[in-house]
Amino acid sequence: MRANKYAGMCSECDTAVGIAAGQLIGIPGNWRTICLTCSPTPPPRGDHPGWHHTALASLDFETTGVDPLSDRVLSYALLDDRGHEFSGLINPGVPIPAESAKVHGLTDEALVGAPVPADALAEVIAWVQDLIERGVGLVVFNAAYDLTMLRAEASRWGLPQPDWDRLLVVDPYVIDWGIERGGLGPRRLTDVAAYYDVLLDNAHDATADARAARNIAYEIGFRHPSVAAGELENLMIRQVVWYAGRAEDWNHYARRVGRSLDDPAGWPLVQVDGAAERIA
């Protein structure tokens, strides 16, 4: 959750809350300010069974922008289920926008001499396919973005696609929405990490983000028995439903204010009908 930008009254207890002295919760078009005393906290950890007791892998990209079909991967972090971490840089062959470089610090100069996409991403795809073959769950925060970008990059460079239909994805971004229904305000990786008291010491570094995403997934499992119950295959089905609900919730607001709409069927991969020409 994020600090409130404006002074107001706590929506729970009517205490006066100064600027940045409380937190912002709610959904677009219906934000509320609460004081720190009333700030929600996650439930305690439990000892229930579930998928959170299995070793999970994690993946994160830093990229040139926010469009998974047209933007490019600049760095990657691959954390496997056996305790190994792999990371690398990629020279995308296109200029890196200044606004993106300000976020993650990756510049054209920093990537001179880095591997080209076809070589680096072939290793990433092989790593993902190995997880698929072994039935290992892959944690990706906002999977619809990262995985769609990987699919687009594979198409762009003529690389084989992973067997997407068999990939088991654990997306803390979507699961968090399924639990809270968007009621806790903005929920970027930094927000959800803070809520679950997960260390994120270098946001927008691929390795740090991948570690935090996986630890959030574990915390969600330990703290929410109903979410942890069952196999990852069952969780996949629930995430599809939750993502559709999140998209419809956003679209209700977006239609009123003239913002772009999300595809309710766009998880874990954005649908490509009519969009393939954007992959160039």
Side-chain angles (χ1 to χ4, degrees):
M1 290 176 290
R2 301 182 191 175
N4 55 305
K5 291 184 178 180
Y6 307 102
M9 305 298 291
C10 175
S11 64
E12 299 293 327
C13 68
D14 288 331
T15 299
V17 182
I19 296 174
Q23 293 182 323
L24 188 68
I25 65 173
I27 60 176
N30 188 26
W31 299 118
R32 296 184 292 130
T33 296
I34 57 173
C35 67
L36 295 182
T37 301
C38 294
S39 179
T41 58
R45 276 175 150 238
D47 60 0
H48 48 275
W51 52 259
H52 58 295
H53 289 289
T54 64
L56 301 172
S58 188
L59 172 151
D60 188 76
F61 296 139
E62 297 303 323
T63 68
T64 59
V66 298
D67 188 326
L69 294 176
S70 62
D71 281 303
R72 311 297 177 89
V73 176
L74 301 177
S75 70
Y76 60 88
L78 313 174
L79 283 54
D80 74 11
D81 56 308
R82 297 163 171 164
H84 303 121
E85 297 184 356
F86 311 92
S87 62
L89 301 175
I90 300 175
N91 186 332
V94 298
I96 300 172
E99 57 271 24
S100 298
K102 288 180 182 178
V103 173
H104 46 55
L106 298 174
T107 62
D108 295 323
E109 294 75 17
L111 298 181
V112 171
V116 298
D119 293 340
L121 292 169
E123 296 183 8
V124 174
I125 291 169
W127 182 85
V128 171
Q129 186 62 37
D130 176 68
L131 298 179
I132 294 170
E133 298 301 336
R134 295 190 293 114
V136 176
L138 177 61
V139 177
V140 189
F141 193 91
N142 195 10
Y145 174 77
D146 291 74
L147 297 185
T148 299
M149 177 166 282
L150 181 58
R151 183 186 61 188
E153 288 275 43
S155 295
R156 183 176 293 117
W157 300 106
L159 300 172
Q161 295 284 349
D163 191 353
W164 295 114
D165 289 341
R166 295 167 54 210
L167 179 62
L168 299 173
V169 181
V170 179
D171 187 342
Y173 175 71
V174 171
I175 300 171
D176 178 76
W177 191 93
I179 296 168
E180 307 296 348
R181 289 299 191 269
L184 297 185
R187 301 296 273 177
R188 296 178 183 173
L189 180 62
T190 51
D191 304 312
V192 184
Y195 179 71
Y196 282 103
D197 197 24
V198 166
L199 176 66
L200 178 53
D201 57 0
N202 190 19
H204 300 296
D205 169 82
T207 299
D209 288 358
R211 288 173 182 162
R214 182 164 61 181
N215 287 334
I216 291 169
Y218 285 136
E219 288 299 321
I220 288 174
F222 276 110
R223 295 173 185 272
H224 297 278
S226 63
V227 173
E231 303 296 330
L232 288 177
E233 289 83 357
N234 302 112
L235 182 64
M236 287 288 294
I237 296 171
R238 299 174 76 186
Q239 288 175 102
V240 169
V241 174
W242 288 332
Y243 183 88
R246 189 214 63 82
E248 292 293 357
D249 192 55
W250 163 258
N251 291 345
H252 178 74
Y253 166 75
R255 290 186 184 97
R256 289 193 288 113
V257 298
R259 300 283 295 274
S260 60
L261 303 181
D262 284 351
D263 178 9
W267 190 93
L269 292 164
V270 172
Q271 302 301 300
V272 296
D273 291 345
E277 66 274 8
R278 292 166 56 194
I279 303 174

